[in-house]
Amino acid sequence: MNECHYEKKMEFFYNHSNSKTEDDWSGARLIIILVFGSIFCFFIFLSNAMVIAAVITNKRFHFPFYYLLANLAASDFFAGIAYVYLMFNTGPVSKTLTVHRWFLRQGLLDTSLSASLANLLVIALERYISVMKMTLHSNLTKRRVTVLIIMVWAVSIFLAAVPSLGWNCICSLDDCSILAPIYSRSYLVFWSVSNLLIFFIMVVAYMRIYMYVKKKIIVLSPHTKGSISRKRTPIKLIKTVMTVLGVFVICWTPGLVILLLDGLHCSSCRLLDVKQWFLQLAMLNSIMNPVIYSYKDQEMRNTFKNMISCVRNGGRTSSTNSRVLSCSIEPSPSTEESCISFHKEVKA
């Protein structure tokens, strides 16, 4: 019968796995990491909070797609919390952690990844429903969107908690990984392969949706009025999501690959040398999405500008800014008419 080591500190498991990188995160290097990491996390909090605030305040964003986009921003905001907890529980502190605190540290990171991935899957579902009906937004009710958001977080928390619920190597030290000293290699293989597979499926799905919508737009364009704003077409929103998905895959795939190699017990891969860099690349993803929204969606960009202008003026905006803000938050009749006209024409 295998002996379990739940009462041991993490130093016992780091020594067993021969992980030396935790010792490198000390002294001046640790201080630099904490300073720059804190600044980076501050921008993660600020930028994603602005996305959530924009969706709440701008009535043009009160649609299922943008609610789900706000939930994606919430998962990035949560990732910032996970990174802050990681920063102040790394270096020499790592080896003093109890098993349960280390599970919490890693579980926060896993939850943020699972939540982001699940959000992208749900957004893919929303976009698919919209594409099939050739409308800007799906007809999902607020209740259904709320249920989907709750399910995203419930599933994400459960998946992140799986190692602490028993799928670990605390009772079987020979199965311990190097990068995650109390995670079993079999779990790392399952985790990385399943996520990489979902990445591939989503990329293929979005490419098919994009090609389908593009083909429909080309067919219908001779029959639509030239006054319809191209910025609000379904293909515009799909391009935005595809960009978000592409950046997400680029930022997270290297980390998942090294976890897979660790799970496969690749002793010659020098995984510890690249672990820190790939973690920082994953952190970068949490601040990229608001940048993408600002670049790809002019309505979101204008809302950001109005919010910043309002803050600069201490909550008091000039008459010009007030008119711009009002226009941004309240759709004009002409805009509504053009959107209604567009829906009627594409459905014809």
Side-chain angles (χ1 to χ4, degrees), residues 333-347:
S334 60
T335 302
E336 291 181 348
E337 290 176 2
S338 64
C339 286
I340 293 172
S341 175
F342 175 77
H343 293 318
K344 288 181 178 179
E345 289 170 1
V346 295
K347 287 180 180 179

Side-chain angles (χ1 to χ4, degrees), residues 176-235:
C176 289
S177 72
I178 296 175
L179 299 177
I182 56 177
Y183 276 15
S184 64
R185 292 194 181 92
S186 58
Y187 174 76
L188 288 186
V189 171
F190 162 77
W191 174 259
S192 54
V193 169
S194 59
N195 281 287
L196 290 171
L197 181 61
I198 293 174
F199 284 3
F200 177 75
I201 292 174
M202 283 201 300
V203 170
V204 172
Y206 273 112
M207 287 301 298
R208 289 179 63 87
I209 292 174
Y210 174 78
M211 295 305 296
Y212 176 83
V213 174
K214 189 175 181 180
K215 181 179 178 181
K216 284 291 184 180
I217 293 295
I218 293 175
V219 172
L220 294 172
S221 58
H223 309 288
T224 58
K225 295 180 180 179
S227 59
I228 298 175
S229 175
R230 295 181 180 180
K231 298 175 183 177
R232 307 296 293 172
T233 58
I235 201 168

Side-chain angles (χ1 to χ4, degrees), residues 9-35:
K9 297 288 186 179
M10 285 304 301
E11 182 176 8
F12 172 80
F13 298 98
Y14 280 118
N15 291 338
H16 180 268
S17 65
N18 295 319
S19 178
K20 304 298 182 183
T21 53
E22 303 304 321
D23 293 328
D24 296 335
W25 292 57
S26 58
R29 184 176 183 181
L30 179 60
I31 294 175
I32 293 174
I33 290 173
L34 290 177
V35 171

Side-chain angles (χ1 to χ4, degrees), residues 19-72:
S19 178
K20 304 298 182 183
T21 53
E22 303 304 321
D23 293 328
D24 296 335
W25 292 57
S26 58
R29 184 176 183 181
L30 179 60
I31 294 175
I32 293 174
I33 290 173
L34 290 177
V35 171
F36 282 94
S38 298
I39 295 173
F40 193 78
C41 287
F42 170 77
F43 282 107
I44 290 177
F45 293 141
L46 179 63
S47 58
N48 287 287
M50 288 181 65
V51 173
I52 297 172
V55 173
I56 293 174
T57 59
N58 192 332
K59 292 184 179 180
R60 291 185 182 180
F61 295 148
H62 290 185
F63 294 98
F65 171 78
Y66 287 104
Y67 293 145
L68 297 174
L69 215 59
N71 195 44
L72 181 60

Side-chain angles (χ1 to χ4, degrees), residues 1-255:
M1 182 175 180
N2 293 331
E3 181 183 359
C4 297
H5 304 276
Y6 283 98
E7 77 287 353
K8 300 286 187 181
K9 297 288 186 179
M10 285 304 301
E11 182 176 8
F12 172 80
F13 298 98
Y14 280 118
N15 291 338
H16 180 268
S17 65
N18 295 319
S19 178
K20 304 298 182 183
T21 53
E22 303 304 321
D23 293 328
D24 296 335
W25 292 57
S26 58
R29 184 176 183 181
L30 179 60
I31 294 175
I32 293 174
I33 290 173
L34 290 177
V35 171
F36 282 94
S38 298
I39 295 173
F40 193 78
C41 287
F42 170 77
F43 282 107
I44 290 177
F45 293 141
L46 179 63
S47 58
N48 287 287
M50 288 181 65
V51 173
I52 297 172
V55 173
I56 293 174
T57 59
N58 192 332
K59 292 184 179 180
R60 291 185 182 180
F61 295 148
H62 290 185
F63 294 98
F65 171 78
Y66 287 104
Y67 293 145
L68 297 174
L69 215 59
N71 195 44
L72 181 60
S75 66
D76 287 331
F77 189 95
F78 183 84
I81 297 175
Y83 296 140
V84 169
Y85 190 84
L86 171 65
M87 285 190 301
F88 289 95
N89 287 276
T90 191
V93 180
S94 295
K95 293 188 175 183
T96 66
L97 297 177
T98 63
V99 167
H100 298 293
R101 282 188 63 189
W102 194 94
F103 273 135
L104 175 61
R105 191 187 84 170
Q106 194 63 32
L108 292 174
L109 291 173
D110 294 344
T111 299
S112 65
L113 169 61
S114 298
S116 297
L117 189 56
N119 270 303
L120 288 170
L121 278 172
V122 174
I123 291 174
L125 171 64
E126 193 276 342
R127 286 295 86 197
Y128 179 79
I129 294 174
S130 301
V131 164
M132 291 301 102
K133 296 184 178 181
M134 281 305 297
T135 59
L136 292 176
H137 302 286
S138 65
N139 57 354
L140 290 174
T141 63
K142 289 185 178 181
R143 182 178 179 180
R144 290 180 180 178
V145 173
T146 301
V147 171
L148 286 173
I149 290 174
I150 293 174
M151 287 179 60
V152 163
W153 286 102
V155 171
S156 300
I157 293 172
F158 172 76
L159 291 177
V162 166
S164 63
L165 296 176
W167 198 348
N168 55 62
C169 65
I170 295 176
C171 299
S172 180
L173 296 180
D174 291 338
D175 190 36
C176 289
S177 72
I178 296 175
L179 299 177
I182 56 177
Y183 276 15
S184 64
R185 292 194 181 92
S186 58
Y187 174 76
L188 288 186
V189 171
F190 162 77
W191 174 259
S192 54
V193 169
S194 59
N195 281 287
L196 290 171
L197 181 61
I198 293 174
F199 284 3
F200 177 75
I201 292 174
M202 283 201 300
V203 170
V204 172
Y206 273 112
M207 287 301 298
R208 289 179 63 87
I209 292 174
Y210 174 78
M211 295 305 296
Y212 176 83
V213 174
K214 189 175 181 180
K215 181 179 178 181
K216 284 291 184 180
I217 293 295
I218 293 175
V219 172
L220 294 172
S221 58
H223 309 288
T224 58
K225 295 180 180 179
S227 59
I228 298 175
S229 175
R230 295 181 180 180
K231 298 175 183 177
R232 307 296 293 172
T233 58
I235 201 168
K236 185 75 175 180
L237 296 182
I238 292 175
K239 284 182 177 180
T240 300
V241 178
M242 288 181 65
T243 304
V244 170
L245 176 61
V247 172
F248 182 82
V249 171
I250 292 172
C251 290
W252 279 100
T253 297

